[in-house]
Amino acid sequence: MKEIEEEAYKRIPFEILVHFADFCEKNNIRYSLAYGTLLGAIRHKGFIPWDDDIDVIMPRADYERFKALYHSERYPFSDITVNKHHLNPMGKVYNSNTIFSSNGIMRSYGLFIDVFVVDNFPTNVRERLRWQKWTRFLIFLNFTKNSDMKGLLRTRKRFLGKVKILLHKLLPVPRTFIQKKISMLSQKYNGSPTGLVGITMSRDNPFDTYPSDLFEEYVDVEFEGRTFKAIRQYDKWLRICYGDYMQLPPIEKRVGKHRITAYYK
């Protein structure tokens, strides 16, 4: 395998995003740039200079429709409902000609964009916390079950952290059962509107909640010289996520959060 040059860490995901956006717009599927990608679009008109990943977000109905219609050999889609080896709860569209390792853990897919999904959340706080904590436990269990043991143990410096990994790995629960349970729990409250939504399928922001109307209307925004979709109320969402998001962080915090090594197959 040939190691991928550093500049391609942004170029390849951007090419995936263009392909994804073209498909969604052709098929009237709603999506929005999300998290650091949306922040980059608004503040920098492109990538945050010290960031290289791409995030998009979709309402559940559009996510399921995308999964049903989408097929690409060059840029396949993967999530826990279609790939039993999928590590993370969110979906990914990836470049099939690449592969990478992160924090010493080799992935079963290549350079990618993350596809988050919006589900209804219960309005009762106690009920919501119980539901989210149980879902988060299953998400971590799935990650542990599908990770290389040696690589995963290297990511935990504390003894108790290593013990926790071993206990999760040894639990006699099939991966397919865990994944089906995660999918079912994430959609538990989608039967009727609650006015509150969030992203259960996330290990980073599982307790954030948003008004459901944030994901009803969309506008065009510029990202790296190309127009993509974003929720119309992006200012409100970015303030929930980042506070005063137009203020640059201190220089010492302007560093990427991902530690990956990627290769061409």
Side-chain angles (χ1 to χ4, degrees):
M1 293 187 296
K2 178 184 176 183
E3 187 170 343
I4 294 177
E5 61 278 14
E6 188 174 343
E7 63 87 19
Y9 285 20
K10 290 185 177 181
R11 174 177 55 80
I12 292 175
F14 180 74
E15 291 170 352
I16 300 171
L17 176 63
V18 171
H19 175 81
F20 169 86
D22 285 345
F23 179 87
C24 289
E25 291 170 24
K26 179 181 178 181
N27 290 278
N28 295 314
I29 296 174
R30 294 175 298 173
Y31 78 93
S32 172
L33 302 184
Y35 294 120
T37 309
L38 180 55
L39 174 57
I42 303 305
R43 193 170 69 191
H44 304 276
K45 303 296 182 184
F47 283 100
I48 296 174
W50 51 92
D51 196 12
D52 59 10
D53 69 335
I54 289 180
D55 299 321
V56 297
I57 192 167
M58 310 174 81
R60 171 62 70 174
D62 295 88
Y63 182 80
E64 296 298 331
R65 189 159 165 264
F66 172 80
K67 286 200 302 181
L69 296 176
Y70 181 78
H71 175 75
S72 172
E73 292 186 3
R74 184 178 182 184
Y75 301 125
F77 172 81
S78 177
D79 75 357
I80 60 174
T81 68
V82 299
N83 178 6
K84 69 178 183 179
H85 300 293
H86 195 82
L87 286 175
N88 301 105
M90 74 289 287
K92 294 178 185 291
V93 179
Y94 63 94
N95 183 307
S96 61
N97 295 320
T98 65
I99 196 166
F100 75 99
S101 65
S102 176
N103 297 317
I105 302 173
M106 186 61 71
R107 308 305 198 193
S108 61
Y109 44 82
L111 292 177
F112 60 89
I113 66 171
D114 278 327
V115 185
F116 293 90
V117 58
V118 176
D119 288 302
N120 287 347
F121 275 28
T123 54
N124 182 279
V125 175
R126 288 187 178 180
E127 180 183 1
R128 183 166 71 244
L129 290 177
R130 285 195 302 268
W131 167 64
Q132 289 172 301
K133 286 178 180 179
W134 175 233
T135 307
R136 197 176 192 188
F137 164 75
L138 290 172
I139 286 171
F140 182 73
L141 183 59
N142 176 72
F143 181 82
T144 305
K145 289 282 188 181
N146 283 293
S147 294
D148 170 70
M149 176 67 79
K150 291 182 179 179
L152 192 57
L153 288 174
R154 283 198 300 268
T155 67
R156 299 297 188 271
K157 296 182 179 179
R158 296 181 179 180
F159 175 75
L160 289 178
K162 295 180 184 294
V163 170
K164 183 179 179 181
I165 292 295
L166 289 170
L167 290 174
H168 280 71
K169 193 77 170 179
L170 294 172
L171 278 175
V173 185
R175 286 177 298 189
T176 52
F177 172 83
I178 298 167
Q179 292 166 338
K180 286 180 181 178
K181 195 69 174 176
I182 293 169
S183 182
M184 288 174 58
L185 280 174
S186 66
Q187 301 178 61
K188 182 177 180 179
Y189 298 94
N190 286 352
S192 59
T194 63
L196 199 64
V197 298
I199 306 160
T200 305
M201 309 285 271
S202 169
R203 292 197 302 141
D204 298 324
N205 308 89
F207 301 120
D208 288 355
T209 58
Y210 317 104
S212 58
D213 64 0
L214 286 186
F215 298 92
E216 292 177 357
E217 296 183 2
Y218 296 78
V219 295
D220 292 330
V221 295
E222 181 182 342
F223 184 85
E224 296 294 329
R226 154 86 191 229
T227 296
F228 297 97
K229 294 297 181 182
I231 53 174
R232 179 179 293 276
Q233 299 185 67
Y234 62 77
D235 176 74
K236 187 174 182 178
W237 194 55
L238 288 173
R239 289 188 184 280
I240 293 172
C241 294
Y242 303 109
D244 184 8
Y245 62 89
M246 294 302 289
Q247 180 70 37
L248 290 172
I251 292 177
E252 63 271 16
K253 291 188 177 181
R254 299 177 194 177
V255 293
K257 62 180 180 179
H258 299 97
R259 299 290 183 270
I260 70 172
T261 305
Y263 305 90
Y264 294 108
K265 288 184 178 178

